[in-house]
């Protein structure tokens, strides 16, 4: 999967999106009281129909997401030589999948993408870069599709976490890490592991999945989306950091700035998971216009 756009964001050239991003304050956002199952959000102990399958998902993820596995996946998928299709085609492709790790949602993924984007658009109509980020943040889940490798869900979705260092106990279903080969490896099981304090999250390998894949897609093809958008895409599932404050010792100054934006975005990503349906055909022209601004396509 590839995103191709004409300008490299890391060179700090002028973007088609407004670089003068004002601080977003959640004064217009009202979080719902409960998720689609009638429980509080991210309640992994709630006795819902999803509880057992979600826990089994995390068991597999925590056992098989090793430092070596992530290195191998990044090398294999970093070549971006899969299938060419438009962003909107990728959105529609996700209609075939339901995220097995999510205790709050059992709707097709395109519903979640549009719910997130539309919730942001309603409260912050002038921040079109953030609207588009809401739409594409989960597109890496196409890794589930046969065209993109048909990876198992544990290698695509779910909360993300650093590999190559000690697993923090704030990770959901932490107990299953004890069966991960890296858990007792002295090279990887210390606080800093193979990293150094303040090295920057960009130098830390995260568990492999749709977040890191979509980040690679955007970065390697020189997207014009601002740095804040790339931080959101890469770390929006990194709940141990932005909910529990874990792993902050790896962060540098740039990461702290990105985290501010991520914590804003996360409220929309999480609390927009509801039974409110979006009229896809009504909003489609607007998002197509944003996609066309940066000439985005996938391959």
């Amino acid at each position: 999967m590839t995103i191709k756009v004409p300008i490299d964001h890391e060179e700090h050239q002028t973007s088609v999106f407004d670089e003068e991003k004002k601080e977003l304050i959640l004064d217009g956002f009202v979080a719902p009281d409960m998720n689609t199952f009638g429980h509080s959000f991210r309640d992994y102990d709630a006795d819902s129909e999803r509880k057992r399958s979600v826990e089994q998902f995390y068991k597999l993820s925590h056992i098989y997401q090793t430092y070596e596995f992530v290195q191998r996946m990044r090398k294999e998928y970093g070549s971006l030589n899969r299938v060419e299709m438009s962003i909107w085609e990728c959105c529609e492709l996700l209609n075939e999948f339901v995220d097995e790790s999510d205790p709050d949602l059992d709707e097709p993924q395109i519903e979640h993408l549009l719910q997130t984007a539309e919730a942001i658009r309603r409260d912050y109509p002038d921040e079109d870069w953030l609207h588009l980020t809401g739409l594409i943040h989960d597109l890496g889940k196409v890794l589930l599709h046969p065209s993109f490798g048909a990876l198992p869900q544990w290698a695509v979705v779910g909360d993300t976490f650093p590999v190559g260092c000690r697993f923090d106990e704030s990770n959901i279903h932490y107990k299953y890490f004890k069966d991960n080969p890296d858990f007792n490896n002295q090279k990887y099981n210390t606080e800093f592991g193979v990293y150094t304090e303040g090295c920057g999250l960009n130098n830390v390998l995260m568990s492999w999945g749709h977040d890191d894949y979509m980040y690679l897609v955007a970065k390697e093809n020189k997207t014009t989306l601002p740095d804040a958008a790339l931080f959101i895409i890469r770390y929006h599932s990194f709940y141990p950091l932005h909910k529990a404050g874990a792993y902050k010792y790896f962060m540098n100054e740039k990461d702290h700035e990105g985290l501010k934006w991520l914590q804003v975005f996360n409220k929309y990503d999480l609390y927009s998971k509801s039974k409110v349906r979006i009229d896809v055909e009504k909003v489609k022209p607007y998002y197509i216009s944003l996609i066309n601004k940066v000439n985005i396509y996938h391959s």
Side-chain angles (χ1 to χ4, degrees):
M1 181 169 61
T2 301
I3 290 178
K4 288 188 180 289
V5 291
I7 303 173
D8 188 343
H9 79 282
E10 291 186 346
E11 294 177 358
H12 302 291
Q13 300 183 40
T14 303
S15 168
V16 294
F17 290 94
D18 183 8
E19 294 292 349
E20 295 299 324
K21 304 181 297 295
K22 62 178 179 292
E23 182 179 359
L24 301 185
I25 302 174
L26 290 173
D27 55 354
F29 185 82
V30 178
D33 294 327
M34 58 186 65
N35 64 19
T36 58
F37 298 103
H39 301 290
S40 58
F41 286 85
R42 287 181 61 80
D43 185 349
Y44 290 88
D45 296 319
D47 188 19
S48 76
E49 57 190 270
R50 302 274 286 174
K51 179 182 178 181
R52 244 182 260 176
S53 63
V54 169
E55 182 166 351
Q56 178 62 22
F57 163 87
Y58 277 106
K59 178 179 180 179
L60 296 175
S61 172
H62 292 351
I63 291 174
Y64 295 121
Q65 288 276 4
T66 65
Y67 187 78
E68 184 278 332
F69 172 76
V70 173
Q71 285 185 311
R72 179 158 47 88
M73 290 294 99
R74 281 188 128 237
K75 181 178 181 180
E76 178 179 350
Y77 284 90
S79 59
L80 308 181
N81 60 354
R82 298 286 165 167
V83 179
E84 183 174 323
M85 62 178 63
S86 71
I87 287 291
W88 195 263
E89 286 174 324
C90 282
C91 291
E92 294 178 331
L93 193 65
L94 292 186
N95 264 337
E96 300 180 24
F97 304 105
V98 172
D99 187 335
E100 292 179 359
S101 72
D102 196 334
D104 300 318
L105 188 69
D106 62 356
E107 299 290 345
Q109 289 300 297
I110 194 171
E111 292 281 341
H112 169 56
L113 298 180
L114 288 171
Q115 286 172 349
T116 302
E118 283 294 283
I120 295 171
R121 182 184 175 193
R122 180 190 64 235
D123 288 352
Y124 304 100
D126 298 328
E127 305 292 344
D128 57 355
W129 70 274
L130 198 55
H131 310 165
L132 184 57
T133 303
L135 180 71
I136 71 173
H137 75 284
D138 273 349
L139 284 193
K141 291 180 181 180
V142 295
L143 291 173
L144 296 168
H145 195 274
S147 298
F148 291 90
L151 289 179
Q153 291 243 354
W154 63 262
V156 179
V157 300
D159 288 10
T160 58
F161 47 87
V163 293
C165 62
R166 180 186 302 156
F167 300 115
D168 192 87
E169 293 187 13
S170 64
N171 284 289
I172 296 299
H173 294 304
Y174 167 81
K175 59 187 177 183
Y176 294 119
F177 282 117
K178 295 178 181 179
D179 293 321
N180 185 301
D182 292 351
F183 188 84
N184 293 312
N185 188 322
Q186 295 182 356
K187 183 178 179 181
Y188 303 133
N189 66 4
T190 61
E191 183 177 36
F192 298 142
V194 298
Y195 315 111
T196 58
E197 185 173 9
C199 63
L201 292 178
N202 190 54
N203 294 305
V204 175
L205 280 186
M206 300 296 296
S207 54
W208 177 251
H210 72 281
D211 307 56
D212 204 27
Y213 180 50
M214 193 62 192
Y215 166 76
L216 289 176
V217 167
K219 179 178 179 294
E220 294 304 316
N221 290 276
K222 306 185 189 312
T223 178
T224 57
L225 284 168
D227 288 343
L230 293 187
F231 193 93
I232 288 169
I233 289 169
R234 192 176 194 187
Y235 301 114
H236 68 272
S237 301
F238 191 7
Y239 278 89
L241 171 68
H242 55 74
K243 297 298 286 187
Y247 302 105
K248 282 190 173 182
Y249 40 76
F250 290 136
M251 294 175 66
N252 58 25
E253 184 177 345
K254 186 176 181 180
D255 293 330
H256 283 284
E257 184 61 29
L259 183 59
K260 296 176 184 177
W261 287 93
L262 177 55
Q263 289 174 325
V264 168
F265 176 87
N266 179 253
K267 292 178 172 62
Y268 291 90
D269 183 21
L270 176 61
Y271 294 115
S272 63
K273 296 173 181 177
S274 68
K275 290 296 184 182
V276 176
R277 305 304 295 270
I278 302 295
D279 186 336
V280 176
E281 291 306 312
K282 182 178 179 180
V283 302
K284 181 177 178 179
Y286 173 70
Y287 290 102
I288 292 295
S289 72
L290 295 187
I291 292 168
N292 290 339
K293 277 187 176 184
V294 288
N295 186 32
I296 299 178
Y297 66 90
H298 288 245
S299 68

